[in-house]
Amino acid sequence: MTMIKKLIGVAALMFACTGAYAAEGGYPLETAPDRVNDVAALQNGAKLFVNYCLNCHSASSMRYNKLQDIGLTDEQIKENLLFTGEKVGDLMHVAMQPEDAKKWFGTVPPDLSVIARAKSVNAGPSGADYIYTYLRTFYRDTARATGWNNLVFPNVGMPHVLWELQGPRELTTVAMHEVQSKDGAHSWERITTTYDDQGYAQVKTEPVADFHGHATLEAKFKALDPAKAAAYNNDVADLTAFLSWMAEPQQLFRKQLGVWVLMFLGLFLLVAWRLNASYWKHVR
């Protein structure tokens, strides 16, 4: 009985910690399309990763020839994904030195081998949801050194390397903010900030009387080239799928095997239950 109480306590603590982490996550994450078993999407994601991400981010746990698992041949890998003399069996490293990266971006770009697993939350949003939302919430901001900012990761050091694929767009944010006057009185104000496609901001502040809610932040993007923005969203879904696959290439096999294991355990439970009943029938 004591052991059961301990297990229940551990489970309760785990879910309590999960809820706290999810609550402080900030910007709400969107659900990423599930394309991990879509070979065409994974191949397009691999192309985007090598052409845009691999300039700064390494994937030191992944070899180029592992891409054979998503339907690419050695010849296709050589012709389309190897540009600086790498071999098919090499790991996905970058030439940029860590000290240079820190000087240029303020920090060393993280290795992306398992980023989808690192950004997942236990019993909460998946790492794919984080990546998908993060790559779709960049906006121009002239106040930043790189000229870019992000809603999921405010003041991020990474520039928007895929901006040409996404096309120009504007962002409008509406924040409910509590303020305190010099005499100690509390009141609320609505701050509306509009960023144009060049990153210049216009801020409008309005007092709000008789407000009894809590601090909120709403954001709305306006694509100036809807067709280009739609194509970009599709590419981001493919890139997210590839990063999810790269974090665990055997995940599909693991899930399929898990189904068979559960079926076996269910059958074994049925057999054990009938054997137990047959045995105790004669003992009694």
Side-chain angles (χ1 to χ4, degrees):
M1 185 57 115
T2 303
M3 180 60 68
I4 294 176
K5 290 182 178 178
K6 289 182 178 179
L7 291 175
I8 293 175
V10 170
L13 179 62
M14 179 185 70
F15 284 112
C17 293
T18 299
Y21 184 89
E24 68 179 8
Y27 190 80
L29 301 182
E30 301 177 40
T31 302
D34 185 6
R35 300 183 180 180
V36 179
N37 57 351
D38 186 335
V39 173
L42 293 176
Q43 291 178 356
N44 185 45
K47 180 188 72 173
L48 292 167
F49 176 79
V50 172
N51 282 277
Y52 291 94
C53 305
L54 201 55
N55 297 312
C56 301
H57 297 274
S58 62
S60 57
S61 297
M62 176 63 59
R63 297 186 184 275
Y64 287 98
N65 57 10
K66 186 64 177 175
L67 300 180
Q68 294 172 356
D69 291 358
I70 59 174
L72 296 176
T73 65
D74 283 353
E75 196 62 32
Q76 290 174 324
I77 295 172
K78 290 178 183 177
E79 292 181 359
N80 301 294
L81 301 178
L82 300 180
F83 308 115
T84 56
E86 303 97 333
K87 297 180 180 179
V88 175
D90 288 347
L91 294 168
M92 292 183 172
H93 289 305
V94 293
M96 184 170 58
Q97 297 299 315
E99 52 271 19
D100 292 333
K102 187 156 187 170
K103 181 168 60 176
W104 295 335
F105 303 113
T107 186
V108 179
D111 185 284
L112 298 183
S113 299
V114 293
I115 191 67
R117 297 182 67 180
K119 291 298 183 180
S120 63
V121 177
N122 182 37
S126 68
D129 296 341
Y130 180 94
I131 296 169
Y132 181 70
T133 310
Y134 170 73
L135 292 176
R136 296 175 67 245
T137 53
F138 274 98
Y139 62 96
R140 283 193 179 274
D141 184 358
T142 55
R144 299 292 301 155
T146 62
W148 294 97
N149 211 328
N150 191 277
L151 293 177
V152 172
F153 193 153
N155 301 325
V156 66
M158 172 182 163
H160 187 16
V161 296
L162 300 170
W163 69 273
E164 291 180 307
L165 299 180
Q166 188 174 37
R169 61 180 187 165
E170 301 172 348
L171 169 66
T172 300
T173 63
V174 179
M176 293 298 297
H177 178 65
E178 186 177 16
V179 293
Q180 183 176 3
S181 61
K182 293 181 179 179
D183 60 1
H186 290 265
S187 61
W188 289 84
E189 60 184 16
R190 180 187 296 109
I191 304 175
T192 303
T193 307
T194 302
Y195 295 88
D196 63 17
D197 61 327
Q198 297 300 314
Y200 294 99
Q202 292 183 345
V203 182
K204 179 181 179 182
T205 302
E206 305 171 277
V208 180
D210 300 325
F211 181 76
H212 302 289
H214 57 277
T216 60
L217 175 64
E218 298 178 358
K220 183 178 181 180
F221 286 99
K222 177 184 177 182
L224 304 184
D225 188 341
K228 203 168 187 179
Y232 173 78
N233 290 338
N234 183 68
D235 282 339
V236 167
D238 291 348
L239 177 57
T240 300
F242 175 75
L243 291 172
S244 298
W245 172 83
M246 182 169 63
E248 188 184 358
Q250 299 299 321
Q251 58 183 285
L252 294 179
F253 173 74
R254 170 177 58 80
K255 293 175 182 177
Q256 293 170 355
L257 181 62
V259 172
W260 287 101
V261 169
L262 289 175
M263 291 174 61
F264 169 78
L265 291 176
L267 179 62
F268 179 78
L269 177 64
L270 178 62
V271 173
W273 172 57
R274 295 311 305 156
L275 285 175
N276 179 72
S278 177
Y279 175 80
W280 285 104
K281 178 177 67 173
H282 297 291
V283 171
R284 292 172 183 171

